[in-house]
Amino acid sequence: MKTNSKFLVVVLALFSTSGVAAQGVTYDEGNEFILAETKQVNQFFRRFNGEEDYEGKRFSTNDPRYQQADMRRMYISNLFDNLDAGMVDSLKGSFIYTVTREKDPKFLNHRRNDWYAQLDVIIKYEKKERPCTLFLKMERENMGTKWVLANVYFKPFITLFKGVDFFGGAAQASVDESSPYLHPKSHEINFINLKKAFTRLDEIEKYAANEYNPDFLTLFIYELKRGNAEFLEVKNLKFHFFQIDNWYFEVSKVNRKSTNSGWLITELMRVAEKDKEILRKYIFFHENNHLPYSP
Amino acid sequence: MAYRILFCLFICGLIIVDGMPGIAQGAGEYFEEETMDPDQKIKVDSMAMEKIRDLSKYIGIIGNKSTPFSEANRVVARALELFADGSVIGVSTLDKKEVKQYEIKTYFERLMALSYDKVKIEWFDIQYISDLEQTPDGKYVGVVTIYQKFEGSQNDALVYKDVTKKDITIYVERKMMQVEGMDIDFWDVLLGDIVVSETML
């Protein structure tokens, strides 16, 4: 009886799209919120894929409910942050249709390297606490998996390399005529002009080869090893998913007294496969995607 | 929303060329992994929950002022045996953004110093047990999420209460022992890092 009533509460909760928080919930009454909350990222994957029941118990692969399309539609509709008016119903509906259609359903797999964790962290750098962003992805080692650092965004590094176009855009394509260079006869003069080149620190990257790319992860590790940077704490965590063809979504933790809480989709975009690499660069390098920095 | 618009504006003005800044990445590579037998997983889950219940019981004893100092120390030692070496506990509250991080032993010592006359710990009857994933060194790791209501009283008056979500790492390792000359293998479960976060509930 207890399980049945819980089941009913959660089914109703999951069908609710309002996501409005109830008021004055007591300890006992709070259970339905816990039940409905997407408590771990693991549960986000399982609900998205339709691999567990309403109480979080995993289905065996022989269970007829395992990855069942109707159940997935219901689950996924409550995996969006329903208070985010920016994700319109038609867009969400189209996404749900794409991933749950009977003919070619799409599932998430955490053992892939095309989803990223974004950690907004605080580091101590030059005696001040400063925001920094780490990006991690999954990697295989032996028979297991692990999270590994994929990229670092740190404003002082970006500022130092302001001459570099991180997105490979028009600025790089049309290198202006006044760009400095070491002329092709420099070898005849023992590269005596190199000293001048190395005083032009603002433009020093322009002396580097075409294939040169600044690697902020290396710089970050270098600064840690030198003792110039010290990791303090994680402030915020979210995830970027590129696994579904022609779609991108972001998953963040929504902490509120509601049946629509926990790890939820907080951004959803149609992105052609050919543009996903640009989006990834945007997320990694564009300052709009990072904590504000004050020197 | 602003994020979407900014990216759309951004993408419109962009010309793609090769040679982007260095990012370690791959195109959706999938990793096969050895998974634990489902029946074995149920047994391991049950062992993990038993250890977490023990931990909860110990916390109740350690935080209670009426527990003699020597008894509290003995219980701390028992509680520490539940954990893998080097485990830490991170505590966050709703009003402060800062996450305090303690070594497990320090956390228990702080709990002893709180000295409530009475500590009441109630479990919500819901928990969530993740899948177990294999780590590079051949162990398995999972996370168990539980919800607890904590009430601390002094002089019969409730002085502190909260409802917290506890995300508890569990490590599972296959070990071998000899019993009467025979090799017996068994699964050993240890608790690891814990994140305690105050909830809105």
Side-chain angles (χ1 to χ4, degrees), chain A residues 27 52 58 110 213 267, chain B residues 4 20 124 128 131 133:
Chain A
Y27 164 59
E52 65 174 41
R58 185 162 194 157
H110 63 278
N213 286 316
E267 287 283 353
Chain B
R4 279 187 287 273
M20 302 288 190
F124 280 58
Y128 188 80
D131 298 311
E133 301 295 334

Side-chain angles (χ1 to χ4, degrees), chain A residues 209-262:
Chain A
N210 284 338
E211 61 270 25
Y212 160 75
N213 286 316
D215 175 358
F216 295 148
L217 180 55
T218 303
L219 283 178
F220 182 70
I221 291 170
Y222 176 78
E223 292 290 44
L224 284 170
K225 282 183 177 242
R226 294 271 298 172
N228 296 332
E230 179 192 354
F231 179 85
L232 295 180
E233 62 171 318
V234 176
K235 288 302 244 190
N236 191 41
L237 170 63
K238 62 184 177 182
F239 298 90
H240 303 281
F241 284 83
F242 296 87
Q243 292 195 1
I244 306 295
D245 288 350
N246 299 308
W247 291 91
Y248 155 83
F249 61 90
E250 175 193 280
V251 172
S252 313
K253 195 173 195 177
V254 176
N255 191 1
R256 64 184 169 219
K257 196 191 287 181
S258 164
T259 52
N260 179 235
S261 63

